[in-house]
Amino acid sequence: MSLPAYDAEFPAQVERALVEFLDRAGDEIVRTEPSVQAGIDALAGFVLGGGKRLRPTFAWWAWRGAGGDPAGPDAEGVLQAAASLELIQACALIHDDLIDSSDSRRGSPTVHIAFAKQHADQGWLGSASTFGLATAVLMGDLALAWADDMFADAPLPAATIAAARPAWRAMRTEVLAGQYLDVRTQAVGDSSPEAALRIDKLKTAAYTVQRPLHLGAALAGADERLIETLMEFGGDLGVAFQLRDDLLGVFGDPSVTGKPAGDDLREGKRTLLVALGMRQAAAKGDTAAARVIEEAIGDADLSDTAVDVVRDALVTVGAVDAVEERIDQLTTSGLAALERAKLAEPANTELIALAAKATKRTY
């Protein structure tokens, strides 16, 4: 039996909803101040320039699994509410690139780098890098503001939107708190596995999987028991997703990931991979491996050759195997929670496939 159009073509439907919103969101301010168009175009290009669309997809299948009807009157509104998650993602990524001093994203210059180049090319006054940083902050803020607009304006009954607001509010706070925790952990030099997992749970798991599931289920009128079970699934899967990201940050192919290999090391990320590498090197008495890993963290000039040495050290002390094992454990426990949720098909099957996509990906 063929799937309804919203189900079968969901990523394309998300793209359509984003294009329609972005095409009109800046009209009023551009009429007042045309110079803002460049920033709006950059934000739209960033949002529409790629991405896995995982967050809207998790929200959609939670809605479907909790009883949402893709042929019913709420389907378009739920699509818009789910698609608005991509604007929160844009805010997080633009600001994350700024915080981490990243030069590239999806194979292209990051927003702050692109605007710094525009400043330099035009010969404008002041610091090009400061202009790039300031513009990226503002474009990230605009993405967050527009996410609120897109969600709030979804054509749904007021009671339906109200039911999903707790998930929406929690998600916005959690992702920003998680980002702060990440920055603070780097600043204080906490390399413990426990600190890395706290960041993973708050910064990634909550807003990537847990809250989108919560949002979708709430839009369908799910009860607290179902929401809690989906949150359990989302928590485990979200951490597994981040752990895969950590591995790709060191071992990924730049032509596939769109980011230079080893950037997490250069940026000083205290990931679980790094934390376990240092802990297991110490446990094995491998002082050379421990020194290699520790000295690489936060070294902005770390060469590709040095990254290779760190990779060898992480493999040798067993950190890579330990992270892979943790991913498998979390995926298994998450899928067990999903089974207990007893979602309607095809949502259950689609979420199982999404779990595999999130944890076995190469980009």
Side-chain angles (χ1 to χ4, degrees):
M1 184 175 67
S2 62
L3 294 174
Y6 281 108
D7 287 354
E9 304 165 2
F10 188 70
Q13 297 285 354
V14 169
E15 210 73 10
R16 173 181 64 79
L18 288 169
V19 168
E20 290 175 359
F21 176 83
L22 291 167
D23 277 351
R24 65 179 187 272
D27 286 351
E28 185 174 348
I29 187 62
V30 169
R31 282 195 296 271
T32 303
E33 182 47 68
S35 66
V36 180
Q37 186 70 60
I40 290 173
D41 288 346
L43 175 57
F46 186 88
V47 173
L48 301 173
K52 306 173 189 68
R53 309 305 188 214
L54 282 176
R55 292 158 188 83
T57 308
F58 277 117
W60 178 260
W61 288 114
W63 178 72
R64 290 283 284 107
D69 180 3
D74 286 351
E76 184 66 20
V78 172
L79 168 68
Q80 180 171 319
S84 69
L85 295 171
E86 286 298 304
L87 289 169
I88 290 188
Q89 166 75 338
C91 167
L93 292 181
I94 291 169
H95 285 172
D96 203 39
D97 287 340
L98 184 76
I99 291 167
D100 295 336
S101 301
S102 296
D103 292 336
S104 65
R105 165 78 61 180
R106 300 169 184 159
S108 300
T110 49
V111 172
H112 64 281
I113 293 295
F115 275 97
K117 183 178 185 303
Q118 181 190 58
H119 182 288
D121 289 347
Q122 295 295 325
W124 291 339
L125 301 176
S127 164
S129 63
T130 299
F131 176 79
L133 296 177
T135 304
V137 169
L138 295 170
M139 290 307 101
D141 289 350
L142 182 61
L144 185 59
W146 279 0
D148 278 342
D149 291 344
M150 190 175 185
F151 173 74
D153 292 345
L156 290 166
T160 302
I161 289 289
R165 281 198 185 281
W168 183 261
R169 289 174 177 147
M171 177 178 52
R172 290 179 308 171
T173 301
E174 286 162 352
V175 68
L176 296 174
Q179 185 66 275
Y180 171 73
L181 181 60
D182 191 8
V183 171
R184 186 181 185 280
T185 299
Q186 292 180 51
V188 302
D190 188 345
S191 296
S192 67
E194 294 76 17
L197 284 170
R198 285 200 304 273
I199 295 169
D200 292 346
K201 289 175 182 177
L202 194 56
K203 181 182 174 183
T204 301
Y207 103 103
T208 300
V209 188
Q210 278 187 308
R211 294 304 180 184
L213 290 168
H214 181 183
L215 185 84
L219 288 170
D223 59 28
E224 286 301 318
R225 181 180 177 186
L226 176 55
I227 288 172
E228 287 174 6
T229 306
L230 286 174
M231 291 279 283
E232 184 181 344
F233 162 62
D236 287 348
L237 188 64
V239 173
F241 172 89
Q242 181 58 52
L243 297 185
R244 178 60 61 201
D245 207 53
D246 294 346
L247 287 169
L248 292 172
V250 177
F251 293 90
D253 180 349
S255 67
V256 178
T257 64
K259 295 191 72 175
D263 257 15
D264 280 1
L265 297 170
R266 297 183 185 96
E267 294 161 5
K269 296 288 186 183
R270 309 274 170 170
T271 64
L272 184 68
L273 175 65
V274 165
L276 291 177
M278 295 177 66
R279 176 173 287 187
Q280 294 187 191
K284 292 174 180 288
D286 192 338
T287 56
R291 185 169 59 255
V292 163
I293 297 167
E294 185 170 9
E295 291 179 355
I297 303 172
D299 181 356
D301 299 319
L302 195 68
S303 67
D304 290 343
T305 301
V307 171
D308 286 338
V309 175
V310 177
R311 287 170 172 160
D312 290 342
L314 291 169
V315 171
T316 298
V317 301
V320 173
D321 285 344
V323 172
E324 289 284 7
E325 183 179 355
R326 186 72 66 95
I327 291 172
D328 288 343
Q329 291 171 346
L330 287 165
T331 304
T332 299
S333 60
L335 289 174
L338 178 61
E339 185 176 356
R340 293 198 306 275
K342 300 189 183 305
L343 296 181
E345 290 290 1
N348 185 68
T349 298
E350 293 292 336
L351 285 171
I352 290 172
L354 266 181
K357 182 179 180 180
T359 58
K360 300 183 184 300
R361 60 198 168 92
T362 58
Y363 65 98

